[in-house]
Structures are given as C-alpha cells and as structure tokens.
Amino acid sequence: MRTAGAVLAALAASAARGNSSTSSLHGEGAFVARAKSYRYGLTSRVDQAKDTGQTVTSNWRASGHYDHFLAPKRFVYGRGFAQRDRFRDIKLRTSAGVGYGWQLYDSDRTQLAIRSGVDAVSVKHNDDSSEGYPAFGWGLQYSHRLWQHKVELFHNQEGFWNLQHTEQVTLHTSTGLRVPLSSGMTANAQVDLDWDRTPPPGVKAVDTTWLLGLGYEW
C-alpha cells in the first residue's frame, strides 16, 4: 500500500534593543502521512518571549492522531494532546480520545475534515492541584489553494467541552496563509487564538498571537 507524506516546519522570531529590550521565538512543525485506508499526523509548537529580561510568554503543545477510513469520506480516529502554559495556569494538560470523522473535501486544491468524539482530559495547575473530566472533543482541519494553487489558506481548530461542568469550554485555533518563495521555502502569516470560557482568576479568557515568519515544506 503506497503512503504519501508531508512535513512542514515554521519559525518566527523578533528582537528589539534600545529604549526597550524584547525578544520572541515561535517554532512549529507538522508531519502527515496518508494511505488509502489510514492517515496519521503529528504536530508541535513552542512559544517563548521576554520583555526587559522577564519571561512574558512560555508555552508548548503537541498532538497526534490516527485515522482509519471506513469509506473515502468517513473515518474513526484516536488522538492525544499535551500542553503547558504557565501564564494560563496550565502546568500540564493532557487528553486522549476517540471518535468519528468526515472527510468532506479531499482534492489537490481543497482539504476539509471534521471530527467529534469523547476525550479524557487531565489538567495539573501551577499550584500542583489537578482535575480530570470527560469532554466532548472536536476538531477541524481546512486548507485551500489560491492563485493557481500556489498560496495556501488554512484554518485548524481543536476544542473540548467539559461534560461534568458544562460551562467550561476550551478552544485553540490557527488561521493563516502560506506563500511559496523558492526551493520549498514559504512566507507564513497566521494568527493563533486560545479561548477558555471560564479561565482561572487573574487569567484572561482569550490569548491571541500574531505571527510572521518563514517555513519549509517537503
């Protein structure tokens, strides 16, 4: 059975010295492999930023999934997720889940898959308190090629709805454009959003990160 794969890596960094002293670094990578009856993928990202010597951003996340196709447009999946973000009071958040998905579009120009299922979520906070709960989990992966299939528009999201305390919902999205340069290099512009409907005291509900950087695809 023939398997096709793709790897993406991206990096964005900035530094300023003078009246202010700031620096930031964002890196992410993704790997996806696809055969007729299955697909699997791995993603990771890390963000670090300092302002006048003080760390103001420090987080990472990683996730993976395995999809088994029952038909060209229907699949069952298993997935796992891990995250750390001490400024959002997340010492470690993990989840593992299973569910059902639909491949609504699958062409050279447009890809759209949605999934939903049940996840077991565990969260350890900065003070070492912890909680665990079952959640309704969902995901969406979308990409579309523009301008002679050269420019890629993408939107990805993952969400969890606490089934024990139904007022609690968390969501992560990443939306942007990739523009080819040469020899696999791309220019990337994207916005990442993290939303917690009921954040801990002193934590804002929404974190938004704007990114401009370079990537490489092969």
Side-chain angles (χ1 to χ4, degrees), residues 2 5 12 14 20 37-38 45 56 66 69 80 86 89 92-93 104 118 120 123 133 172 180 195 203 211:
R2 185 176 181 182
S14 66
S20 63
S37 62
Y38 67 86
R45 56 166 284 173
V56 294
Y66 178 85
F69 282 83
R86 67 186 184 92
D89 194 27
L92 182 64
R93 174 187 283 157
L104 301 181
V118 178
V123 184
Y133 54 87
H172 171 75
W195 175 65
V203 176
L211 298 164

Side-chain angles (χ1 to χ4, degrees), residues 98-177:
V98 295
Y100 196 87
W102 297 264
Q103 187 71 42
L104 301 181
Y105 291 94
D106 189 9
S107 68
D108 291 339
R109 185 173 189 183
T110 305
Q111 298 275 329
L112 174 60
I114 59 174
R115 64 188 71 222
S116 63
V118 178
D119 292 81
V121 180
S122 176
V123 184
K124 189 173 184 178
H125 299 287
N126 293 336
D127 62 2
D128 286 331
S129 63
S130 60
E131 59 180 317
Y133 54 87
F136 170 75
W138 72 91
L140 182 149
Q141 293 82 41
Y142 171 75
S143 68
H144 182 69
R145 299 279 180 173
L146 305 169
W147 295 297
Q148 300 179 341
H149 295 199
K150 293 182 178 180
V151 177
E152 181 184 9
L153 168 68
F154 64 89
H155 174 77
N156 301 308
Q157 67 170 257
E158 289 182 318
F160 301 92
W161 178 27
N162 189 327
L163 296 178
Q164 289 183 335
H165 303 286
T166 55
E167 72 281 359
Q168 186 177 3
V169 182
T170 60
L171 177 69
H172 171 75
T173 70
S174 182
T175 306
L177 288 171

Side-chain angles (χ1 to χ4, degrees), residues 58-93:
S58 178
N59 62 70
W60 60 262
R61 66 174 62 231
S63 63
H65 67 87
Y66 178 85
D67 305 333
H68 177 73
F69 282 83
L70 307 173
K73 292 190 176 183
R74 298 183 292 111
F75 59 90
V76 292
Y77 71 86
R79 71 175 183 176
F81 171 84
Q83 177 188 19
R84 177 183 174 91
D85 190 340
R86 67 186 184 92
F87 288 98
R88 296 185 66 82
D89 194 27
I90 301 171
K91 190 171 185 178
L92 182 64
R93 174 187 283 157

Side-chain angles (χ1 to χ4, degrees), residues 160-217:
F160 301 92
W161 178 27
N162 189 327
L163 296 178
Q164 289 183 335
H165 303 286
T166 55
E167 72 281 359
Q168 186 177 3
V169 182
T170 60
L171 177 69
H172 171 75
T173 70
S174 182
T175 306
L177 288 171
R178 297 188 185 100
V179 181
L181 298 176
S182 64
S183 303
M185 296 292 294
T186 62
N188 305 326
Q190 70 186 68
V191 56
D192 291 351
L193 182 146
D194 286 282
W195 175 65
D196 190 335
R197 186 180 178 187
T198 55
V203 176
K204 293 182 179 180
V206 178
D207 259 357
T208 304
T209 305
W210 297 85
L211 298 164
L212 292 172
L214 296 174
Y216 189 74
E217 293 183 89

